[in-house]
């Protein structure tokens, strides 16, 4: 947007300068240039409509060459600068070889115009035109090389993200498979042996009604129950609490070009969250990062988890935000606010100088499961 504004500003300054000079020189030249510039600006702003972007620029260059033949010498400087401006513009839309053809054609046409107007070839101007033409050709070549390098970089970056995402999924799948394998081994080996042991103790306790057999049986039942709990935990695909948030951050960083600075303060890892509170915290962090990716001014997000003086879990999500207009509650922020308030918590949304901040407070220890 800044480049476009600067280009339009330069073009308007050149047009105004030429019109002012024509107004001082001759009313006929002023009227002709005013009509000409209206056509030129019309074609310039209609460039996005054309399938071949070079066509309106070539038409503008032809108009400027014709105008050189019928205007006073005082206006030629502005017309040459306008021709240079549109020559640079057309270089953005054509190949290097075609751009060289355009430069050579303009050189021959303007040399002929110089002979017709001055009855001799203005060697100083031609030398300057050749120098500028060479610089324009080199600039066009560098621009094409830059575009090719940028396309290659974006392609490699996209491939890298795909590979990183695939690597993450493969690692996650391998972890889940390994956990399931361990769970099956524990169930089939340890669980079955404990069950068999408990049955043997039960038989001995029936034959010999002794207190020691009852104690052994109780201990075996406790071991079997602990083993079953461990198997159930190993078979869970997703972890909860802080571990789930770390997994979320890792996933988003692997799929998007975003950098998350995650900080936990003292006491956070000791907080006992219920399943519902885990879900509220997870969805809030997820929505905060998504919001930062959509509207943030950079790819950096700062997340801090802490514990309030009364033992509630607090979180803060900061990201740069330089937009002048105030934020408005969208679907995501509304949902986040309702979800936190349902758990008796509170969410504050702040827009400070250059920063957008989400501050949440989630009560814990309410006995929810």
């Amino acid at each position: 947007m800044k480049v476009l504004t600067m280009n339009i500003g330069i073009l308007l300054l050149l047009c105004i300068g030429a019109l002012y000079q024509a107004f001082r020189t001759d009313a006929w030249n002023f009227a002709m240039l005013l009509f000409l510039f209206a056509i030129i600006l019309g074609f310039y702003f209609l460039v996005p409509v054309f399938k071949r972007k070079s066509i309106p620029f070539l038409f503008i260059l032809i108009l400027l060459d014709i105008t050189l033949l019928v205007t006073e010498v005082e206006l030629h400087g502005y017309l040459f600068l306008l021709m240079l401006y549109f020559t640079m513009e057309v270089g953005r839309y054509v190949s290097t070889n075609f751009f060289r053809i355009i430069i050579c054609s303009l050189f021959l046409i303007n040399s002929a115009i110089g002979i017709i107007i001055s009855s001799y070839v203005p060697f100083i101007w031609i030398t300057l035109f050749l120098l500028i033409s060479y610089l324009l050709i080199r600039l066009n070549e560098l621009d094409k090389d830059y575009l090719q390098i940028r396309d290659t970089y974006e392609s490699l970056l996209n491939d890298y993200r795909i590979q990183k995402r695939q690597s993450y999924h493969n690692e996650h799948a391998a972890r889940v498979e390994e956990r399931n394998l361990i769970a099956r081994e524990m169930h089939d080996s340890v669980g079955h042996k404990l069950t068999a042991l408990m049955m043997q103790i039960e038989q001995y306790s029936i034959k010999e009604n002794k207190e020691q057999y009852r104690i052994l049986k109780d201990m075996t039942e406790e071991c079997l129950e602990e083993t079953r709990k461990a198997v159930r935990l190993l078979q869970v695909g997703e972890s909860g609490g802080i571990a789930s948030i770390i997994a979320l951050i890792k996933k988003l960083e692997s799929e998007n070009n975003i950098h998350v600075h995650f900080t936990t303060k003292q006491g956070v890892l000791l907080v006992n969250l219920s399943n519902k509170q885990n879900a509220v915290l997870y969805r809030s962090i997820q929505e905060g990062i998504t919001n930062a990716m959509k509207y943030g001014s950079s790819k950096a997000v700062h997340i801090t988890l802490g514990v309030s003086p009364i033992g509630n879990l607090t979180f803060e999500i900061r990201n740069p935000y330089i937009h002048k207009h105030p934020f408005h509650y969208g679907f995501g922020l509304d949902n986040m606010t309702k979800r936190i308030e349902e758990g008796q918590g509170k969410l504050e949304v702040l827009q400070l100088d250059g920063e957008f901040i989400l501050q949440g407070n989630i009560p814990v220890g309410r006995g929810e499961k």
Side-chain angles (χ1 to χ4, degrees), residues 73-314:
V73 178
E74 291 82 358
L75 300 174
H76 289 178
Y78 290 102
L79 295 175
F80 285 140
L81 289 175
L82 283 169
M83 191 175 300
L84 176 62
Y85 174 85
F86 287 112
T87 304
M88 293 176 65
E89 285 290 297
V90 75
R92 297 166 51 194
Y93 301 102
V94 298
S95 63
T96 302
N97 291 332
F98 188 52
F99 187 66
R100 290 174 179 173
I101 295 174
I102 293 174
I103 292 292
C104 293
S105 301
L106 288 175
F107 172 72
L108 294 175
I109 293 172
N110 285 282
S111 298
I113 292 174
I115 295 173
I116 294 172
I117 294 176
S118 305
S119 70
Y120 66 94
V121 179
F123 291 102
I124 297 178
W125 179 82
I126 290 178
T127 304
L128 181 61
F129 186 84
L130 283 174
L131 177 60
I132 294 175
S133 300
Y134 173 75
L135 293 176
L136 288 177
I137 290 173
R138 292 296 301 158
L139 181 63
N140 178 262
E141 291 175 349
L142 291 174
D143 185 58
K144 299 302 179 186
D145 291 341
Y146 167 75
L147 291 176
Q148 184 177 2
I149 292 173
R150 189 184 67 181
D151 292 340
T152 304
Y153 169 77
E154 290 179 352
S155 176
L156 291 174
L157 181 61
N158 186 54
D159 291 341
Y160 167 74
R161 288 175 179 172
I162 293 174
Q163 292 295 330
K164 194 171 183 180
R165 189 184 304 117
Q166 186 64 39
S167 174
Y168 171 79
H169 288 304
N170 291 341
E171 179 185 352
H172 179 72
R175 250 193 339 262
V176 171
E177 184 178 356
E178 184 177 0
R179 288 158 64 97
N180 289 334
L181 179 62
I182 295 173
R184 285 195 299 268
E185 289 293 330
M186 289 179 64
H187 179 270
D188 295 340
S189 179
V190 181
H192 287 174
K193 287 182 179 179
L194 285 173
T195 303
L197 177 60
M198 190 170 62
M199 292 175 65
Q200 290 291 333
I201 295 174
E202 180 70 21
Q203 290 177 4
Y204 286 125
S205 66
I206 293 173
K207 292 180 182 179
E208 301 179 25
N209 189 13
K210 293 182 179 181
E211 182 67 16
Q212 290 84 350
Y213 289 124
R214 187 183 63 78
I215 295 173
L216 289 174
K217 179 184 175 183
D218 292 341
M219 292 176 60
T220 307
E221 286 180 348
E222 289 179 7
C223 290
L224 184 60
E225 185 61 28
E226 291 295 330
T227 303
R228 287 171 177 170
K229 287 182 181 179
V231 168
R232 283 195 294 270
L233 288 175
L234 285 171
Q235 288 177 334
V236 174
E238 296 292 337
S239 56
I242 307 301
S244 64
I245 295 174
I246 295 174
L248 171 66
I249 293 172
K250 184 177 180 181
K251 179 176 181 293
L252 292 176
E253 283 191 330
S254 67
E255 294 181 353
N256 305 276
N257 187 20
I258 188 169
H259 307 287
V260 180
H261 303 268
F262 184 61
T263 305
T264 58
K265 295 185 178 180
Q266 185 177 2
V268 171
L269 300 179
L270 300 178
V271 173
N272 186 21
L273 295 176
S274 66
N275 293 335
K276 185 176 180 180
Q277 291 162 350
N278 266 325
V280 170
L281 179 62
Y282 182 89
R283 294 303 177 190
S284 299
I285 299 296
Q286 184 182 41
E287 179 60 32
I289 298 176
T290 303
N291 199 58
M293 288 192 296
K294 285 183 180 178
Y295 307 110
S297 305
S298 74
K299 299 296 184 181
V301 183
H302 296 263
I303 301 174
T304 304
L305 296 184
V307 180
S308 70
I310 60 175
N312 292 344
L313 181 68
T314 63

